[in-house]
Amino acid sequence: MDYWIIEIFTSIQGEGDVIGTPSNFIRLAKCNLRCVWCDTTYSWEKGTKMTLDEIMAQINNNVKTTTITGGEPLLQDIFPLVRRLKEEGHKVIVETNGTIPPKKELLELVDVFSVSPKLRNSGHKLSYDKVEWATYYKFVILNEEDLKEVSSFVSQRRIDPKKVIVQPDGRREDYVNALRELSTQVMNLGLPFRVLPQLHRIISVK
């Protein structure tokens, strides 16, 4: 099985429920979206073709958590890769935009699906009819109107608010201020969502 790969590295997981956890990262090439605030536009490229064995040879097997990200990883058949990682004793996290529902066999094997539905601020208008398979949801927030959009999204789909994470625009140079502003907005609106940073915006450990 071959995959188109952008990069493989080991670092601290910077986002979501698993924030702060040492993890291998396998960044797969290509994406079906072009979000205006994307911070990994280089993942839209073709990448390098690698076999499953070549990928596993670059994994730090002393770190038993591996994150498969992109781009959009579900554009490629990641089941053989996930199965191999699980056989090696890894906890597997898949970061996806949620537009491509995973097959049942993948749902049964992946430990965490980190789903980042795109709001209107991404430049896309997407329906997201079925995303109940997400372990948790992450939303990029640019302003207060985005929070209202998230609230509507969560209410319409009857999503448990405990599974919802909001984070500020990663392009902001004053990132700590952006995080503070978002926290204030969440409190002022009385929303039950978790506010978390992108840890890699504050520290660099790659």
Side-chain angles (χ1 to χ4, degrees):
M1 185 73 191
D2 294 335
Y3 293 93
W4 291 102
I5 301 293
I6 294 296
E7 58 183 345
I8 299 173
F9 61 95
T10 304
S11 185
I12 299 295
Q13 173 58 252
E15 300 182 349
D17 254 358
V18 289
I19 189 170
T21 305
S23 177
N24 298 298
F25 288 83
I26 304 172
R27 188 179 303 283
L28 273 65
K30 303 179 183 178
C31 190
N32 58 334
L33 301 179
R34 294 293 184 269
C35 298
V36 297
W37 40 252
C38 180
D39 59 357
T40 54
T41 56
Y42 59 92
S43 68
W44 301 349
E45 304 300 327
K46 186 176 181 179
T48 301
K49 195 173 186 179
M50 297 179 66
T51 67
L52 187 51
D53 286 340
E54 288 172 336
I55 293 169
M56 294 304 298
Q58 291 194 31
I59 293 295
N60 181 350
N61 223 21
N62 293 320
V63 175
K64 289 298 185 179
T65 296
T66 294
T67 302
I68 302 174
T69 187
E72 174 46 58
L74 294 184
L75 287 171
Q76 301 186 53
D77 179 11
I78 64 171
F79 180 77
L81 174 58
V82 173
R83 181 173 56 192
R84 180 74 173 271
L85 287 165
K86 296 298 291 183
E87 288 172 353
E88 296 289 336
H90 288 249
K91 176 178 180 177
V92 177
I93 301 161
V94 173
E95 296 181 336
T96 171
N97 60 36
T99 60
I100 304 172
K103 295 180 180 178
K104 182 181 178 181
E105 61 181 7
L106 193 60
L107 282 171
E108 293 173 348
L109 206 55
V110 170
D111 296 285
V112 175
F113 277 101
S114 172
V115 178
S116 299
K118 306 311 175 191
L119 303 176
R120 287 192 296 268
N121 65 29
S122 69
H124 298 284
K125 187 176 181 181
L126 304 169
S127 61
Y128 287 105
D129 294 329
K130 295 181 180 181
V131 287
E132 71 282 351
W133 43 271
T135 306
Y136 57 86
Y137 305 80
K138 294 184 303 176
F139 295 89
V140 174
I141 305 299
L142 305 189
N143 53 53
E144 195 169 288
E145 288 304 308
D146 293 343
L147 284 172
K148 294 176 182 177
E149 187 179 345
V150 172
S151 184
S152 177
F153 182 99
V154 169
S155 176
Q156 290 174 6
R157 292 161 182 79
R158 298 182 179 179
I159 294 170
D160 183 350
K162 294 179 181 178
K163 298 173 68 173
V164 177
I165 294 167
V166 292
Q167 57 193 42
D169 180 5
R171 300 171 300 173
R172 288 269 299 264
E173 291 184 4
D174 59 336
Y175 188 76
V176 173
N177 284 336
L179 188 59
R180 186 179 296 112
E181 290 170 9
L182 176 57
S183 300
T184 299
Q185 291 167 350
V186 167
M187 294 300 292
N188 288 344
L189 291 172
L191 298 174
F193 309 143
R194 282 184 293 169
V195 179
L196 288 177
Q198 291 176 297
L199 192 59
H200 49 281
R201 302 296 174 198
I202 303 170
I203 60 173
S204 179
V205 293
K206 180 177 172 181

